[in-house]
Amino acid sequence: MKPIVQISLDLTNIDEALETAAMAIRAGVDWLEAGTPLILAEGLHGVRKLREAFPGVPIVADLKTMDGGYLEAEMMAKAGATHVVVMARAHEETIKCVVAAGRDFGVKVMGDNLGCEDMVEAARWLERLGCDYIVHHIGYDERRGIAARGDRMPSPLDQLKEVVQAVKIPVQAVGGLSLEQAIQCPQYGAPLVVLGAPLTIDSDSFKTAGGDLESSLRMICDKIHSYKTN
């Protein structure tokens, strides 16, 4: 698939999220993500507001579903989400329920391997259970906690090639990537590029990053979209 740029709206205020989303779309971003902080703060209301403002844009609801999978996916689909996220650490039956809801309500399912001991095998398992995409994810707390004790901070790039080679469905890498690393993701075979903290969101305050963000985003989108796929 052609490279796609997704912005993670990890914000806690719907007005700021809408403003950031509008700027991102102007800059060339393809998909909007209702990040977990936004869903916690605004819930279905926030997803509905994004859908009203951007009727033709794919919206990822980063639910991080662990249980009640069918209902959560159904509710977000009816609110306007086109993609939902279920965790590999959830029970197999929960993942099956999310996949079933995805079929029933026309939404795609993204399986997230955050926290798995074997992240490559987790990606294979998610694909076998019917997920449409893999989110190869090193968590916020995991990265910061490991770095705080003086050890090397893990990166999703560490095993990205192995995850990509293990599955036939598209993969995205998430978790503390620098600007340069995010732009390189398609070269690893991961065409879904997520921009969020710390690239476009202040990772400590969860507010929109300062500076000329729109120009930076436009440059990032241009570079990613120019990547030639096989």
Side-chain angles (χ1 to χ4, degrees):
M1 63 183 295
K2 294 180 179 179
I4 288 173
V5 182
Q6 171 181 321
I7 189 168
S8 177
L9 301 170
D10 286 332
L11 300 161
T12 57
N13 178 282
I14 187 58
D15 292 331
E16 188 176 10
L18 289 168
E19 182 180 347
T20 302
M23 176 270 300
I25 295 298
R26 290 195 304 269
V29 167
D30 304 294
W31 292 7
L32 300 173
E33 176 190 327
T36 308
L38 183 63
I39 289 177
L40 288 171
E42 303 283 356
L44 293 168
H45 170 74
V47 175
R48 288 195 189 99
K49 287 292 186 181
L50 286 170
R51 173 52 64 219
E52 291 169 5
F54 308 99
V57 178
I59 296 175
V60 178
D62 189 10
L63 293 167
K64 294 186 172 68
T65 294
M66 288 292 293
D67 195 20
Y70 192 96
L71 179 61
E72 287 195 6
E74 176 185 1
M75 291 172 70
M76 283 299 170
K78 290 180 176 179
T82 55
H83 298 67
V84 294
V85 179
V86 65
M87 305 307 292
R89 294 284 252 179
H91 194 277
E92 177 179 347
E93 295 303 325
T94 296
I95 299 170
K96 289 179 179 178
C97 285
V98 175
V99 169
R103 290 196 302 266
D104 291 345
F105 298 100
V107 297
K108 298 296 186 181
V109 177
M110 309 182 83
D112 189 322
N113 67 4
L114 184 151
C116 292
E117 292 183 9
D118 187 335
M119 304 189 86
V120 176
E121 182 53 39
R124 292 192 186 100
W125 189 61
L126 289 165
E127 182 180 38
R128 288 197 298 271
L129 291 175
C131 290
D132 302 289
Y133 301 88
I134 298 298
V135 182
H136 176 51
H137 193 174
I138 306 297
Y140 175 82
D141 292 332
E142 177 183 356
R143 299 192 314 270
R144 291 167 67 91
I146 290 173
R149 63 177 189 245
D151 295 328
R152 176 189 172 275
M153 183 184 295
S155 167
L157 298 186
D158 294 342
Q159 288 188 291
L160 182 56
K161 287 184 178 179
E162 289 89 340
V163 170
V164 167
Q165 291 168 359
V167 297
K168 296 180 180 178
I169 56 179
V171 175
Q172 65 177 200
V174 179
L177 295 178
S178 69
L179 172 58
E180 293 76 12
Q181 289 171 330
I183 293 172
Q184 291 170 4
C185 281
Q187 298 178 31
Y188 286 78
L192 295 169
V193 180
V194 183
L195 305 177
L199 302 178
T200 57
I201 304 296
D202 185 297
S203 60
D204 292 315
S205 66
F206 291 99
K207 293 184 180 296
T208 307
D212 187 358
L213 182 54
E214 185 169 341
S215 294
S216 297
L217 270 178
R218 185 171 292 107
M219 179 270 292
I220 295 167
C221 290
D222 288 346
K223 286 192 175 184
I224 294 170
H225 288 147
S226 67
Y227 181 79
K228 304 298 183 183
T229 55
N230 293 328

